[in-house]
Amino acid sequence: MVAAVELRPTADGDLPALHALFAAAVAGVYEPHGFAPPAPRLEAFANQQRHVAATGTSVVAEEDGRLLGFAASWQRGSDWFLAALFVDPAAQGRGVGPALLDAVWGEAANRRTITDAIQPISNALYGRRGLIPATPILGFAGRPRVERPRVEPGDADLAAIDAAAYGFDRAVDHAYWERHARRTTWPGAYSYAFPGGEIGPVAGLDAAAAAGALAGELARAEGDVRLRVPGSARALVELALEAGLRLDPLPGLLLLSEAVQPPTALAIAGYMLL
């Protein structure tokens, strides 16, 4: 990495520039393959970045006042998640990405991240750090048709569900999700539904409980929905297909360190918050 590039903590005033850099970076990956890149609104992008920065680590790389890239991670107990690492296409190949990864790596026993399957450079970088693709992240979208009996909402122990579905505590993230989405508890499970049709996370004490919660959310949806399910969560994948949702053509990849098992009772919150 050249000496003129400096790393510093992310500031709130950086967020519009980070949003633009993110858009350029993902377009450089998606568009050559003929895929439309993700295009989150600035407000949604900034809300997530603020939450990660407040509860984890977020840094930017800059040179002469120009942002070259950014990275963010969060840690809950001994479990670490790489939430973001993006480099300006014009600055790639200069060691910016590895330097950013070093800056947010921290100390943790268990590590996870999510990437796009068509990102060979990032996937190789993470693989050399011990983060190996373990299961696809399947995107589903459309207007659901649910014919199975609907589960009714009920009491649930969030901490116990998080321990079973994620393997670690998510109390600080529930506080964030509650501010932006509607939470429903079901027998042995919970779900979040966001304005605009995004569903997730959906988590359960076991696969059947998580599938019941997802069925409940899909049954009351009044329009199109979108959700992301690890391929390892077979019961939820089967339900999404049964409900007639379309499968996105481009999967993500859930990368895990050696001791971490793929989830079986989870539809994720997204690529940044798992």
Side-chain angles (χ1 to χ4, degrees):
M1 185 171 179
V2 296
V5 176
E6 298 181 355
L7 303 182
R8 61 166 174 81
T10 302
D12 199 70
D14 295 325
L15 294 177
L18 298 191
H19 181 254
L21 190 154
F22 165 82
V26 296
V29 172
Y30 277 63
E31 291 177 352
H33 296 277
F35 294 109
R41 295 178 295 108
L42 173 59
E43 180 184 7
F45 174 88
N47 285 338
Q48 289 193 338
Q49 289 291 334
R50 290 187 183 106
H51 176 66
V52 172
T55 63
T57 302
S58 181
V59 298
V60 300
E62 64 179 1
E63 180 181 49
D64 295 330
R66 183 172 75 91
L67 291 176
L68 303 182
F70 68 99
S73 69
W74 48 262
Q75 188 165 333
R76 310 291 182 253
S78 61
D79 288 82
W80 175 93
F81 185 79
L82 178 64
L85 198 166
F86 295 96
V87 176
D88 186 328
Q92 291 177 0
R94 299 175 53 188
V96 176
L100 285 167
L101 184 58
D102 285 340
V104 300
W105 189 253
E107 298 290 337
N110 303 314
R111 297 184 183 275
R112 301 167 177 83
T113 194
I114 300 174
T115 65
D116 291 309
I118 54 173
Q119 288 188 320
I121 295 175
S122 296
N123 290 329
L125 172 63
Y126 305 147
R128 288 191 291 269
R129 296 292 190 101
L131 286 164
I132 303 300
T135 191
I137 298 293
L138 304 174
F140 294 93
R143 181 162 298 193
R145 304 184 307 274
V146 178
E147 299 178 358
R148 65 174 65 186
R150 178 175 171 178
V151 176
E152 294 300 322
D155 294 334
D157 183 337
L158 299 185
I161 294 167
D162 288 336
Y166 280 106
F168 54 91
D169 181 73
R170 305 229 57 180
V172 68
D173 302 304
H174 284 292
Y176 168 80
W177 291 323
E178 282 184 283
R179 290 197 300 272
H180 300 283
R182 181 197 68 226
R183 183 175 72 203
T184 304
T185 56
W186 314 82
Y190 65 76
S191 61
Y192 286 89
F194 287 77
E198 291 276 346
I199 295 176
V202 179
L205 291 173
D206 54 31
L214 179 57
E217 279 293 354
L218 295 179
R220 65 185 181 183
E222 297 180 350
D224 286 356
V225 302
R226 179 168 176 79
L227 64 145
R228 302 173 183 88
V229 185
S232 52
R234 183 182 180 94
L236 281 73
V237 173
E238 290 178 344
L239 174 59
L241 294 170
E242 178 185 308
L245 298 181
R246 301 184 305 275
L247 181 62
D248 286 354
L250 179 59
L253 293 174
L254 178 60
L255 280 56
L256 305 175
S257 59
E258 186 173 6
V260 180
Q261 296 300 310
T264 59
L266 179 68
I268 66 170
Y271 279 37
M272 190 172 294
L273 291 179
L274 189 56

